Amino acid sequence: MFIDEARIRIKAGDGGNGCMAFRREKFVPRGGPSGGDGGHGGDILMASSLSHNTLVHFRFNPEHKSERGGHGLGSNMSGYAGEHTVLKVPVGTLLYDDDTGELIHDFAHPNEEIVIARGGRGGRGNQHFATSTHQAPREHELGRPGEARNYRLELRLLADAGLVGYPNVGKSTLISRLSAAKPKIANYAFTTLEPNLGVVQVGDAPYEQSFTVADLPGLIEGAHLGAGLGVQFLKHIERTSVLVHLIDVSDASGRPDPVEDYKVITAELKSFDPALAAKPTILVANKADVANPDKLKKLVAMAKRKKLPLYTISAVSGEGIPALKFAMAEAVAMHRQIPLDAPGPVSAKRKPHYPPPAPNARGRR
């Protein structure tokens, strides 16, 4: 099940209460206050992971709570700190504050980790309130509550190239040819109901180059109004560097004009986000083994007018696949949005396991 949106409610652990106690030992008169501090509540962290590819584990488990800190004890013993909770999300997840709509973080790299809710600070024991004039304090602090937040998660696949086009033009067959992906392939429209990812390798070692390709469900006219599968999956190509627009030039499509096919799909992309229609595009005339010469001629003329690269292939027979693969690799290398030397993953600063002394602590420990 491909789930790319989820809402979660989280609650970090509360801090433990400070203790009120006095040292009572034989032969130690007036031992003084000895109440320990409460432990910190556990933080809730979020980390990007390559072992997850959907948000389905949040759809059916939307509430997450971290462990509270232990209460302080006598003999100046601090309470234990609550265990941190780490939530794993796929790479490409956007984290939004559900109350304000603010973007909190974009997990664009694996192993990024941030704190999304901080646990409450433990309360101080009565040992911190002793002074020269107040040597038997009975004051102590309660633990602070942990943060409670509402978040919205949105997954946008990280792919270098995106395959777009009408349903049943051969996108799934092409991605199975380019990579090791095994999407569902059948001779009817809307075979693909969720995006598929594949990794393409070009060249020989040690000069080989790899990039990722996303195969999206087909678009039809009026998709931005909800026709077909709508445009709910187009957000997954917003991060792509290159679009590969497949057009069926055979008579099996039932559409007489391939140029009109290109215009309709481009208009749907533009209606979703004008930046999508402006991305570098490679035109692919598919099903060349059974192509209609007149349709192919129209498409070639349109590509020359618009100065778009055009490759004629047959995803079934493999004709033209090597040339297209190298062209895609070259375009991705030229227009790649996230450079290979991008900054490394972010590491969260967690609270220490044992609560440190309060900055305004006075008197005995």
Side-chain angles (χ1 to χ4, degrees):
M1 181 182 297
F2 185 82
I3 302 295
D4 56 3
E5 287 188 358
R7 282 180 164 81
I8 60 174
R9 297 179 294 279
I10 61 173
K11 174 68 168 65
D14 298 334
N17 298 331
C19 176
M20 187 195 72
F22 292 92
R23 184 181 180 188
R24 292 181 175 86
E25 252 182 275
K26 192 176 182 181
F27 307 120
V28 184
R30 295 183 293 277
S34 63
D37 301 336
H40 288 312
D43 295 336
I44 296 185
L45 304 97
M46 186 166 283
S48 54
S49 169
L50 293 174
S51 61
H52 293 75
N53 52 20
T54 75
L55 299 173
V56 65
H57 52 297
F58 291 114
R59 176 64 65 89
F60 302 107
N61 186 21
E63 296 187 0
H64 301 269
K65 189 175 182 180
S66 199
E67 186 181 19
R68 69 163 300 150
H71 301 314
L73 301 173
S75 300
N76 295 331
M77 290 191 295
S78 298
Y80 63 87
E83 291 291 332
H84 301 302
T85 299
V86 181
L87 307 178
K88 299 285 189 178
V89 296
V91 177
T93 299
L94 297 174
L95 177 67
Y96 291 93
D97 188 313
D98 198 27
D99 298 324
T100 65
E102 176 189 2
L103 175 62
I104 304 299
H105 191 73
D106 180 2
F107 292 93
H109 303 277
N111 302 320
E112 290 187 73
E113 188 177 81
I114 65 169
V115 177
I116 59 175
R118 295 199 174 274
R121 195 190 75 182
R124 293 181 296 168
N126 67 334
Q127 58 172 313
H128 292 293
F129 296 91
T131 67
S132 60
T133 59
H134 187 41
Q135 297 184 4
R138 281 169 164 51
E139 298 87 357
H140 61 98
E141 291 181 339
L142 301 178
R144 302 288 180 84
E147 292 182 334
R149 306 287 294 272
N150 296 319
Y151 287 112
R152 179 172 62 88
L153 301 173
E154 183 178 302
L155 174 61
R156 297 183 185 180
L157 297 178
L158 290 179
D160 296 309
L163 304 182
V164 297
Y166 266 94
N168 209 31
V169 295
K171 299 187 297 297
S172 298
T173 307
L174 176 59
I175 196 173
S176 68
R177 277 281 186 177
L178 294 173
S179 68
K182 300 297 181 185
K184 181 179 180 181
I185 300 174
N187 190 25
Y188 57 85
F190 298 111
T191 306
T192 302
L193 299 177
E194 60 188 42
N196 296 301
L197 273 180
V199 179
V200 183
Q201 291 187 340
V202 178
D204 299 322
Y207 304 105
E208 62 183 355
Q209 179 184 351
S210 63
F211 59 94
T212 54
V213 178
D215 164 31
L216 298 186
L219 298 171
I220 61 175
E221 188 172 5
H224 68 285
L225 301 176
L229 292 178
V231 293
Q232 58 178 320
F233 294 115
L234 282 185
K235 61 188 175 186
H236 295 296
I237 61 172
E238 288 183 337
R239 299 175 185 264
T240 57
S241 305
V242 177
L243 294 183
V244 179
H245 193 148
L246 266 71
I247 297 177
D248 187 349
V249 293
S250 70
D251 291 326
S253 67
R255 296 181 297 273
D257 190 354
V259 176
E260 185 63 24
D261 291 356
Y262 170 80
K263 290 180 180 179
V264 168
I265 299 300
T266 303
E268 294 299 329
L269 295 176
K270 192 173 183 180
S271 67
F272 179 78
D273 185 353
L276 283 182
K279 284 183 178 291
T281 302
I282 297 176
L283 276 181
V284 176
N286 194 20
K287 305 183 181 181
D289 51 335
V290 289
N292 181 323
D294 294 334
K295 295 178 71 172
L296 183 58
K297 185 176 180 181
K298 287 183 180 180
L299 192 60
V300 170
M302 187 272 293
K304 287 184 178 179
R305 288 197 308 271
K306 293 184 175 292
K307 298 181 179 180
L308 293 174
L310 173 65
Y311 292 84
T312 303
I313 69 165
S314 172
V316 173
S317 67
E319 175 188 349
I321 296 295
L324 174 62
K325 187 185 295 188
F326 279 96
M328 291 172 62
E330 183 179 353
V332 166
M334 185 180 302
H335 301 286
R336 191 188 296 267
Q337 292 187 355
I338 301 179
L340 297 178
D341 56 350
V346 178
S347 295
K349 293 183 178 180
R350 308 186 185 193
K351 287 188 175 179
H353 185 68
Y354 294 101
N360 57 345
R362 297 180 298 173
R364 310 172 54 145
R365 279 293 292 171

